[in-house]
Amino acid sequence: MNISDLISKLVDFYRRIPPHGHIFGSMTTIPDPTSLYAYQLFIRTNSADPSTFKIVGELEDILVKDISETLYGKPSTGKVLSGGTESNIIAIYSGISKYKSRTIIAPDTVHVSVDKACDLLNCKLVKIPTRNKPVEPSIVEDYVRKYKPSTLVVTAGTTELGIIDPIKELSNIATEYPVWLHVDAAYGGLLIPFLYRHGYISEDLRFYNGISSLSVDFHKYGLSPIPSGLYIVGEPNDLDYAYFKSEYMPTGKTFGILGTRPGGSVLAIWAVWEKYGYQGYEKIALDKVELTNYLADRLREIDKYVVWNPNLTIINIRHIRLSVYEFIETLAHRGFYLYLSPSINAARIVIMPHHTKKHVDEFINVLEEIE
Ligand code: 0PR
């Protein structure tokens, strides 16, 4: 195929993707152009080889330390991984290696990647029923005593409802037992610290003693291209559990699941963090939570929807007449996209950084029209 035909084909394929302003259910967003530039410039680097691509490894260390200190109050060590799923797998694997038990405990609100991790690692996953509330710390302690798990996974901003588990109390419990506490802040990690400090929520997210690892995705609220996740550990030695021997590599080992890790992601996160920093992400978090609250208020004015109270930037709704599937399908026919929240049989709306009031108003007009 000649190059101009090829490009017009690509453009043709691209036109079949919905505009992001109409995607209200996915946690994807439009990457920041500077971040994209950084990603492209370093596209041929492998961050699994910090010997050949020394600057990539150096920046990875610097950015993890700086971000964890600024956002979570503790300068820590970590890696740039592909996102929340890989971080959950690595945390669980590390917990098993350190504490030698294949039982994992998690509230039933954890992301499906925890089930995936347990399937892959041949673990028994014991879920604590929560009725979609933050998990009760005393119940967690009972489960820890009873099941003696190696790993406890909790969430700061759950996928369906944006719930924050009581991280501080859970971390206190973790200091008392031989257990790896992993905090999955893939979605909430770039919202919670700001919203807490401005009084929107009562639960903060800090790297408390007792937390072994914490993950946050920069391809969600961080405006970095996919894949860009941070995996942070409280004790530098705790990274050792997820290094694998690889004799032909200059360092003799590689971290995590991938053999070739995109160095572009490290530079992309470095670039957005330099560009936005604390204040830039604070502004995004506050603007988007205000936009979420505006949308929730407008939705409550429309009789035909049951509207759940928003948490962080997530709202769930149900049409009073249509089934959730019919509702999501009807919206898709009109070019708007929501996801399912299976645990409450509702449709999930997530306001992401690219959404503006104009997108929200357009969306409300469509919702008003659906009979
Ligand atoms: N932990 C939590 C709390 C999450 O919400 C997610 C992703 C993950 C872990 C996994 O992260 P990665 O996808 O980076 O591995 N939650 C998104 C969601 O379920 C994933 C997603 C994103 C799904 C975009 C669909 C989509 O179009 O919405």
Side-chain angles (χ1 to χ4, degrees), residues 194-215:
F194 309 110
L195 299 180
Y196 174 78
R197 276 158 231 179
H198 286 267
Y200 285 90
I201 52 177
S202 56
E203 190 67 48
D204 197 4
L205 177 59
R206 313 283 290 167
F207 213 118
Y208 304 109
N209 285 340
I211 296 178
S212 294
S213 57
L214 181 151
S215 50

Side-chain angles (χ1 to χ4, degrees), residues 13 16 175 184 188 210 224 245 253 282 286 311 334 341:
F13 296 149
R16 298 191 206 170
T175 58
D184 177 354
S224 213
K245 194 167 147 196
K253 58 185 184 178
E282 178 180 51
L286 298 180
N311 285 311
R334 289 170 165 258
S341 285

Side-chain angles (χ1 to χ4, degrees), residues 9 42 45 87 114 118 142 153 266 280 319 333 359 369:
K9 277 251 179 246
F42 282 80
T45 65
S87 292
V114 173
C118 290
D142 292 345
V153 184
V266 175
H319 191 281
H333 281 305
H359 295 133
E369 284 165 19

Side-chain angles (χ1 to χ4, degrees), residues 110-297:
V110 277
H111 188 253
V112 288
S113 55
V114 173
D115 298 75
K116 185 192 274 188
C118 290
D119 272 355
L120 287 169
L121 297 169
N122 202 13
C123 300
K124 178 179 169 193
L125 175 59
V126 180
K127 288 198 182 174
I128 307 174
T130 62
R131 296 210 193 103
N132 280 312
K133 298 269 184 302
V135 73
E136 179 59 52
S138 61
I139 297 180
V140 173
E141 189 161 9
D142 292 345
Y143 271 70
V144 170
R145 280 211 189 102
K146 180 168 174 199
Y147 291 98
K148 301 185 175 37
S150 59
T151 317
L152 165 62
V153 184
V154 298
T155 316
T158 61
T159 310
E160 290 182 24
L161 280 139
I163 291 162
I164 308 169
D165 285 318
I167 307 299
K168 190 173 185 181
E169 288 167 85
L170 293 167
S171 64
N172 278 335
I173 294 171
T175 58
E176 305 285 321
Y177 297 88
V179 67
W180 184 290
L181 172 61
H182 175 63
V183 178
D184 177 354
Y187 158 64
L190 283 164
L191 291 168
I192 295 166
F194 309 110
L195 299 180
Y196 174 78
R197 276 158 231 179
H198 286 267
Y200 285 90
I201 52 177
S202 56
E203 190 67 48
D204 197 4
L205 177 59
R206 313 283 290 167
F207 213 118
Y208 304 109
N209 285 340
I211 296 178
S212 294
S213 57
L214 181 151
S215 50
V216 48
D217 277 0
F218 270 72
H219 57 228
K220 295 190 168 68
Y221 253 82
L223 297 170
S224 213
I226 303 165
S228 302
L230 279 195
Y231 172 76
I232 311 171
V233 290
E235 295 296 329
N237 292 344
D238 277 349
L239 272 192
D240 293 346
Y241 294 103
Y243 271 108
F244 295 85
K245 194 167 147 196
S246 186
E247 273 165 356
Y248 71 91
M249 292 296 277
T251 53
K253 58 185 184 178
T254 59
F255 187 87
I257 295 173
L258 306 184
T260 313
R261 282 202 284 125
S265 303
V266 175
L267 274 293
I269 298 178
W270 180 86
V272 274
W273 182 245
E274 284 296 314
K275 183 169 173 181
Y276 291 90
Y278 184 93
Q279 284 173 355
Y281 284 119
E282 178 180 51
K283 182 168 169 14
I284 294 170
L286 298 180
D287 284 355
K288 298 312 155 188
V289 87
E290 285 297 340
L291 190 59
T292 308
N293 291 341
Y294 164 76
L295 171 58
D297 289 344

